[in-house]
Amino acid sequence: MKKCLLLLPRPVFPLVCGYALKNYNLIRILASHYELQLVILSDHGLKAEEQEYYKSLGVSVLVHRIPKWRSYLQALMGLFSSQPLQVCYYYDHSLQRRLLPLLNTNDVLIAALVRTREYLKPAETMPGKTIVFDMVDSIALNYMRSGTKTASVFWKLVYGIEGKRLLRYERRSVENSFVTYLFNPQEQNYWKGFGHVVRLPHGVNEELFHYEKRDPKWEHAVVFIGKMDYQPNVDAAVWYMQKVHSVIGKEIPLVIVGAYPSEKVLSCARSLPNVTVTGFVEDPYLYVHSAMAVVAPMQTGGGIQNKVLEGMALGKVNLISTLAAKPIAGARDGEHFLIADTSEEYVGLLRKIAAKPENYAEIGKHARTLIKEEYSWKCYGERYLEEIRESEKN
């Protein structure tokens, strides 16, 4: 068995967001083909559940603890450099020293997200190393886009400065990696001129294709699902409540499902009728599968929305913004989901679905078929490993 090193910027558990679900499955995939060494950055230790998961897979784990005060200090010092601040935030010289022996002894070296890519820099001059940049999405392009949309002068400045730094950093990282994985076709198209860039869609839990549980309490409701302290999710949920639910809330209830709901979400929900905020639940799919429709009116952020893929896998009608739809290659408006960008479009479509849900059942069926064929973790794993194996032939 060849040896593989995977660097993660934070723990995987609890499994409450796209980052967690993706890396939970990636670790399982890599452990079945390589002698896997996992390095996790954290300001605290791993929970017992996470430790047990790695033990069950026979994965070696090194947890490097970086106190938050040190990360903040590193980011502050980064203001006086040309490095992206989030690269500075996650970089620790003592970890780099600990990693040097591992860079030498492992064959495949994987950096998860731009935040850990700096640690693989010494390996760029080491012969026989396969460097994988698991970029996921281009934060640089996301920041450059967000800078044109935000009304805040402060955030416009932050996006402008950090976006330019990230653009230079991501380009260099792509150029010096054997393969870079992205799941947004538009971002792949942008970066493919700078290196070997592969579009790699994330998967969904295949058990969702056979999920049957329902709760009639929510059959006339709309569901929004996601980690609710993640700013793009906060932005989307608040936008929906203020612009859409304020109009149709008496007709169509809203259920916001996800861990760590922010005070902004809770405050907005309290001011409106017919809004349920669940917080963390053991089985979020019960709400999704029971609902009339799933909404993802993303206003900010980048990359693919796992919540959309999961809603499609469950055969639900998904109403999503253009921003959320773009990364889902092969999906078409009106066939696999419905695209809505204005409050009027959401209100109109939801009223039509509520009046005649049978007219939209085919959309859910087509969505499930697409996800089965293109967005399973099995497909993801096969494509991930196939690209790495190409380096072994060279």
Side-chain angles (χ1 to χ4, degrees):
M1 252 190 183
K2 287 202 167 187
K3 295 184 176 182
C4 176
L5 172 68
L6 172 62
L7 289 165
L8 295 177
R10 65 178 190 269
V12 171
F13 286 61
L15 303 176
V16 295
C17 63
Y19 164 88
L21 293 169
K22 175 257 185 184
N23 286 301
Y24 173 88
N25 284 281
L26 176 59
I27 290 164
R28 175 179 54 80
I29 292 162
L30 293 173
S32 66
H33 291 83
Y34 295 96
E35 183 181 327
L36 182 60
Q37 170 71 62
L38 188 60
V39 176
I40 302 174
L41 284 67
S42 178
D43 63 343
H44 56 275
L46 298 184
K47 295 187 176 184
E49 183 184 15
E50 186 161 359
Q51 292 175 343
E52 187 57 37
Y53 178 61
Y54 301 142
K55 184 179 179 182
S56 71
L57 296 174
V59 173
S60 298
V61 184
L62 167 63
V63 180
H64 184 80
R65 299 180 68 168
I66 307 178
K68 280 196 178 293
W69 66 265
R70 190 186 301 167
S71 295
Y72 289 133
L73 179 61
Q74 289 165 179
L76 182 63
M77 293 172 63
L79 288 171
F80 306 100
S81 74
S82 60
Q83 288 280 66
L85 298 184
Q86 57 191 284
V87 172
C88 297
Y89 182 92
Y90 286 91
Y91 188 77
D92 185 60
H93 289 282
S94 64
L95 175 57
Q96 186 72 80
R97 289 191 293 271
R98 296 179 76 183
L99 281 175
L100 283 174
L102 296 178
L103 296 180
N104 276 296
T105 56
N106 281 275
D107 308 292
V108 179
L109 311 172
I110 304 174
L113 307 181
V114 72
R115 296 163 176 173
T116 64
R117 180 59 180 82
E118 190 70 8
Y119 290 108
L120 298 189
K121 212 169 178 181
E124 292 172 3
T125 57
M126 295 178 182
K129 303 299 178 184
T130 300
I131 296 178
V132 178
F133 183 19
D134 196 347
M135 191 176 182
V136 180
D137 61 335
S138 173
I139 304 176
L141 298 181
N142 175 28
Y143 277 16
M144 300 300 278
R145 180 179 61 247
S146 298
T148 65
K149 291 188 174 183
T150 182
S152 166
V153 175
F154 172 76
W155 281 108
K156 191 178 288 290
L157 181 65
V158 171
Y159 286 140
I161 295 172
E162 184 74 347
K164 289 175 184 176
R165 290 185 179 192
L166 280 163
L167 207 60
R168 291 191 297 269
Y169 189 86
E170 290 181 356
R171 174 174 174 172
R172 189 202 167 282
S173 298
V174 170
E175 289 173 340
N176 290 279
S177 300
F178 173 77
V179 62
T180 296
Y181 293 128
L182 284 163
F183 51 52
N184 186 315
Q186 288 77 33
E187 292 178 1
Q188 180 208 18
N189 190 55
Y190 179 90
W191 287 112
K192 68 182 181 182
F194 302 104
H196 181 40
V197 179
V198 173
R199 186 184 75 84
L200 184 65
H202 287 180
V204 299
N205 185 343
E206 295 183 21
E207 292 178 5
L208 295 182
F209 300 137
H210 313 289
Y211 191 94
E212 295 182 350
K213 290 191 286 185
R214 291 180 187 270
D215 186 339
K217 180 179 179 180
W218 309 114
E219 63 183 356
H220 301 297
V222 166
V223 165
F224 180 94
I225 183 172
K227 186 168 174 278
M228 292 313 303
D229 62 351
Y230 176 53
Q231 193 58 46
N233 285 343
V234 173
D235 293 340
V238 170
W239 182 90
Y240 181 88
M241 284 189 279
Q242 293 177 341
K243 303 291 186 180
V244 181
H245 190 76
S246 61
V247 178
I248 60 171
K250 291 182 180 178
E251 310 162 41
I252 302 173
L254 170 66
V255 186
I256 298 174
V257 181
Y260 317 121
S262 72
E263 181 52 39
K264 189 173 183 181
V265 169
L266 294 171
S267 176
C268 190
R270 285 192 292 264
S271 70
L272 294 165
N274 259 351
V275 180
T276 302
V277 180
T278 69
F280 173 79
V281 292
E282 290 290 344
D283 185 6
Y285 307 117
L286 174 62
Y287 296 85
V288 177
H289 197 233
S290 303
M292 177 187 80
V294 182
V295 293
M298 310 310 294
Q299 308 295 301
T300 58
I304 205 163
Q305 302 297 322
N306 280 68
K307 65 178 77 60
V308 177
L309 298 183
E310 291 174 341
M312 293 172 71
L314 286 164
K316 305 305 297 182
V317 179
N318 285 260
L319 279 72
I320 65 179
S321 65
T322 298
L323 180 63
K326 275 185 177 180
I328 308 177
R332 291 177 289 276
D333 181 25
E335 183 177 351
H336 302 100
F337 45 52
L338 298 172
I339 293 179
D341 287 310
T342 67
S343 56
E344 292 80 10
E345 288 170 337
Y346 277 95
V347 168
L349 285 169
L350 287 168
R351 280 177 169 161
K352 288 179 181 177
I353 296 169
K356 291 190 175 181
E358 65 275 10
N359 290 352
Y360 297 87
E362 286 299 307
I363 291 178
K365 291 178 182 177
H366 292 153
R368 176 176 281 180
T369 299
L370 175 69
I371 300 303
K372 273 186 179 180
E373 294 176 352
E374 298 290 334
Y375 293 89
S376 70
W377 286 118
K378 180 182 178 183
C379 293
Y380 171 85
E382 288 173 353
R383 294 171 186 172
Y384 203 108
L385 295 170
E386 180 182 357
E387 292 299 328
I388 295 176
R389 286 179 184 133
E390 282 300 311
S391 73
E392 298 168 358
K393 297 177 184 178
N394 300 331

